[in-house]
Amino acid sequence: MLATVCARYGRGRTALMWGCVVGDKSTTEAEVTGRDGVVDREEASGAGSAEAEPADVQESAGDPSDKAIDASGDPSAPPRRRRSRARRVLLGALVLFAVGLLMVGGVVWWAVEHYTGNVDRISGVFPTQVPAAAQPSPSEGGQTFLLVGVDSRSELPTTGRDAKAPEWKYGAQRSDTMMLVHLPADHSGAYVVSLPRDAWVDIPGHGKAKLNAAFSWGGPPLLIDTVQRLTKVRVDHLAVIDWDGFKNLTDSLGGVDLVVDGASRHMNGTQALTYVRERHHLARGDFDRTHRQQYFLRTVLAKVMRPSTFTNPVKAGKVLDDLTAAVSVDDRLGDGDLRDLLWDNRNVRPGNMVFMNAPAKGTDMISGQSVVLLDAGAGADLWRSMRKDTVDTYLRSHDVDRLGATTS
């Protein structure tokens, strides 16, 4: 029977399994079986005798799995030992990568926790004794901030973590900058509308006066009440900055480049603050002044958000310290809320932000004061778009006094 099998199958696998002697003795001894009795076809049919390559035969006999054919019988399959080693290397690389991600994530989380906690909170900023008829309804989408820049001319910081002077003292401080900042629900950008400080408006309990007098007479609650009655837009949160704080931020950024009279000028913090406060020699007075404030804020934000700002950890820490130290927010905006706000608007860049002035008819002299007369009709459409979260639609159908690429 053995002779029949050998005669029928010759040098095939079946013949080898039955122990047929094919070829010379040297070739037969070199044909060794692999794992589970499977013959290593590559070695069995290879050229040369066992005596010619004793090391190869010894290696195969010592670890038959090293060169065994895989279950599919494919002789080109990679050796199992090499595949096992590759798996270990890959697994190790994945573990190191995961550890790296955890470390980076931990650092980022610590930074967010640390710097959101640095932002100072102001209590009691919202009006409490307002008739129901004068209280605006919540907007249909998004959030609206009232951003106030304090022009206290104080030698001491009045807002932020380093505040040493009172945040508000009757008659001592005026809100130099007032902007309604609307963040749409889709987080596609931001709409910043400056309210002229000299706007002639009704101030609850005081009659007609300039808008910035509201902060001087009643602090944040009276200012918020005045703005809400004027626009019918609910103010969700308040943010207050002292321009002196932004002077320090500008210096930590290494200064800013601003275009003035058609020429680019590099300014440090003190120079930029003078630029922002200028109003008497501007062609359009208060309207140009608000555009200067917008232009400066946009330039600072753009520089803060540059990747190069964070390549140097020391510089990045100084910038973030100065930024968070210069800003105060209402105490309804907790650390978690602030983190959510930053995350939701993480894709917003200065290029996605639209800066404009509130619609106005022009200026006038009232009671010996130069005042700005707001356009109630045109303004009503803008404020309605804020309440309905449709400012993008409003801009497509209305001409606005919008900040351009540069301003002088």
Side-chain angles (χ1 to χ4, degrees):
M1 180 178 179
L2 177 61
T4 302
V5 172
C6 292
R8 181 175 181 179
Y9 292 99
R11 295 177 60 89
R13 178 179 297 184
T14 305
L16 291 173
M17 290 176 62
W18 281 88
C20 300
V21 178
V22 182
D24 58 24
K25 180 179 179 181
S26 300
T27 303
T28 303
E29 290 177 351
E31 294 174 341
V32 293
T33 59
R35 187 170 297 173
D36 299 326
V38 178
V39 177
D40 190 331
R41 181 182 301 172
E42 182 177 354
E43 290 199 10
S45 60
S49 65
E51 288 83 352
E53 298 181 8
D56 290 345
V57 174
Q58 184 177 0
E59 180 184 355
S60 178
D63 187 1
S65 67
D66 194 30
K67 294 186 178 182
I69 300 174
D70 70 351
S72 65
D74 183 3
S76 64
R80 295 190 182 185
R81 175 182 292 175
R82 293 178 182 175
R83 284 187 294 180
S84 178
R85 185 180 299 115
R87 288 194 197 99
R88 290 196 297 270
V89 172
L90 179 60
L91 181 60
L94 289 175
V95 170
L96 289 176
F97 180 68
V99 171
L101 283 180
L102 289 174
M103 291 179 64
V104 171
V107 171
V108 172
W109 178 254
W110 173 87
V112 172
E113 285 270 341
H114 174 72
Y115 289 110
T116 53
N118 271 1
V119 178
D120 189 53
R121 299 315 198 274
I122 309 174
S123 60
V125 304
F126 293 98
T128 55
Q129 299 179 347
V130 178
Q135 187 69 257
S137 301
S139 298
E140 295 181 16
Q143 295 186 80
T144 301
F145 282 67
L146 178 59
L147 175 63
V148 178
V150 178
D151 186 21
S152 63
R153 308 290 172 153
S154 170
E155 294 300 322
L156 298 175
T158 58
T159 62
R161 191 179 63 250
D162 298 326
K164 296 181 177 62
E167 288 165 345
W168 174 79
K169 183 178 180 181
Y170 183 87
Q173 297 160 286
R174 292 181 180 269
S175 48
D176 179 64
T177 305
M178 288 153 289
M179 300 178 182
L180 279 175
V181 182
H182 183 71
L183 304 176
D186 62 4
H187 314 301
S188 59
Y191 303 100
V192 184
V193 182
S194 286
L195 300 168
R197 54 174 277 173
D198 292 341
W200 194 248
V201 300
D202 283 311
I203 298 179
H206 297 271
K208 287 277 191 177
K210 291 183 178 183
L211 179 59
N212 68 342
F215 188 84
S216 179
W217 291 337
L222 183 58
L223 179 60
I224 291 177
D225 189 17
T226 301
V227 170
Q228 289 187 151
R229 294 184 192 229
L230 173 68
T231 64
K232 307 297 188 296
V233 174
R234 171 73 68 90
V235 173
D236 298 301
H237 293 289
L238 175 77
V240 182
I241 61 172
D242 192 311
W243 286 114
D244 282 326
F246 265 71
K247 178 180 70 174
N248 296 334
L249 175 60
T250 302
D251 287 334
S252 67
L253 286 169
V256 292
D257 296 316
L258 300 173
V259 175
V260 183
D261 297 328
S264 179
R265 287 183 52 191
H266 185 78
M267 299 185 186
N268 60 26
T270 300
Q271 294 167 329
L273 193 59
T274 300
Y275 167 85
V276 167
R277 284 175 170 165
E278 177 62 44
R279 66 189 298 238
H280 297 294
H281 302 292
L282 302 178
R284 299 194 308 150
D286 210 31
F287 302 112
D288 285 344
R289 188 170 189 265
T290 53
H291 275 327
R292 282 192 169 202
Q293 295 168 350
Q294 296 169 354
Y295 180 39
F296 172 63
L297 286 175
R298 184 179 66 184
T299 304
V300 169
L301 287 175
K303 196 161 187 181
V304 168
M305 294 179 179
R306 283 181 186 172
S308 59
T309 301
F310 299 96
T311 56
N312 184 329
V314 176
K315 178 182 178 181
K318 182 68 167 61
V319 168
L320 291 174
D321 276 334
D322 286 339
L323 176 62
T324 55
V327 179
S328 299
V329 297
D330 64 88
D331 59 0
R332 292 184 185 177
L333 194 65
D335 287 354
D337 299 319
L338 193 54
R339 288 193 293 270
D340 290 342
L341 182 70
L342 293 173
W343 175 254
D344 290 341
N345 294 278
R346 63 191 180 278
N347 294 323
V348 176
R349 296 294 182 270
N352 308 122
M353 302 174 69
V354 178
F355 293 84
M356 68 190 97
N357 282 329
K361 295 179 178 179
T363 61
D364 199 358
M365 293 295 297
I366 299 179
S367 301
Q369 304 176 79
S370 176
V371 301
V372 173
L373 302 177
L374 296 176
D375 189 332
D381 292 338
L382 174 58
W383 311 135
R384 186 182 304 109
S385 72
M386 274 196 179
R387 295 193 297 270
K388 293 183 174 296
D389 196 25
T390 58
V391 182
D392 56 336
T393 303
Y394 167 87
L395 291 173
R396 288 196 292 268
S397 57
H398 291 76
D399 292 328
V400 297
D401 183 11
R402 183 170 173 172
L403 177 68
T406 61
T407 186
S408 58

